[in-house]
Amino acid sequence: MTPAAAARLYARAFHKSRPWQESEFEALIGDPQVILCGDAFAMVIARIVLDEAEILTLATNPDRRRQGLARAALQTCETQLRAHNVQSVFLEVGADNLAAQALYRGFGYIQAGKRANYYRRSDGVAVTALILRKDLAAN
Ligand SMILES: CC(C)(COP(=O)(O)OP(=O)(O)OC[C@H]1O[C@@H](n2cnc3c(N)ncnc32)[C@H](O)[C@@H]1OP(=O)(O)O)[C@@H](O)C(=O)NCCC(=O)NCCS
């Protein structure tokens, strides 16, 4: 997947947030500790630090939602993380993002904390972030 395709997908999926620039995706894709799974319709990006990983973003093109694309990309990502001996995965998700929360909970992610008013949407609304965690060794 090219940085340009990733930037396009991100902009379509996160229309209420600051877009990530193509150069940011270029840096991520070039980072050996970063895993990108998926394609131009759905992607997951995770960064590995020792035996932990953080999911940096997960996005599906709005025209292709509820077709199992994010589930497939996340499954592939977790398989790759296990191959890198990652034990725990963390991520942040908006408290108002019920679609993503349902996806993550279906994968066994549980809440480990929260950050009040962590996100600032483009309309100025502050949204709390939930910190989710999954023990890859146990699930
Ligand atoms: C969250 C998101 C990635 C889901 O992508 P998707 O490809 O539509 O998800 P899938 O089709 O793989 O869905 C897998 C499961 O997630 C849950 N889910 C997905 N979308 C949902 C929705 N709108 N409402 C409730 N549950 C939902 C369901 O459990 C679903 O399984 P089911 O279809 O068998 O019921 C997508 O809505 C998106 O890109 N949102 C904007 C970006 C975003 O919020 N990313 C997450 C940031 S942490």
Side-chain angles (χ1 to χ4, degrees):
M1 188 172 186
T2 65
R8 276 196 301 274
L9 173 55
Y10 188 95
R12 287 219 58 202
F14 291 95
H15 57 280
K16 286 188 180 172
S17 307
R18 177 190 76 81
W20 288 9
Q21 303 303 315
E22 189 178 327
S23 57
E24 294 175 84
F25 285 103
E26 197 168 357
L28 285 171
I29 290 168
D31 183 336
Q33 296 307 113
V34 169
I35 286 176
L36 187 155
C37 298
D39 55 25
F41 295 111
M43 66 177 175
V44 180
I45 301 179
R47 175 179 278 127
I48 299 171
V49 180
L50 302 175
D51 64 350
E52 293 185 351
E54 180 185 7
I55 293 180
L56 302 179
T57 194
L58 174 152
T60 298
N61 182 312
D63 298 333
R64 300 290 293 268
R65 290 195 181 154
R66 297 312 285 266
Q67 297 175 19
L69 297 183
R71 180 188 288 122
L74 186 55
Q75 191 70 60
T76 304
C77 179
E78 287 192 353
T79 299
Q80 293 195 21
L81 294 177
R82 284 192 172 92
H84 283 82
N85 296 316
V86 168
Q87 304 292 314
S88 304
V89 186
F90 291 85
L91 61 90
E92 285 150 2
V93 59
D96 60 349
N97 191 345
L98 302 184
Q101 286 178 44
L103 171 68
Y104 292 130
R105 292 194 199 283
F107 269 78
Y109 287 78
I110 54 172
Q111 188 173 336
K114 67 178 175 181
R115 300 186 207 280
N117 301 322
Y118 183 73
Y119 299 111
R120 179 74 57 178
R121 305 289 188 220
S122 57
D123 56 9
V125 173
V127 178
T128 292
L130 306 182
I131 300 167
L132 305 188
R133 175 183 182 275
K134 177 171 176 174
D135 181 352
L136 275 190
N139 290 278

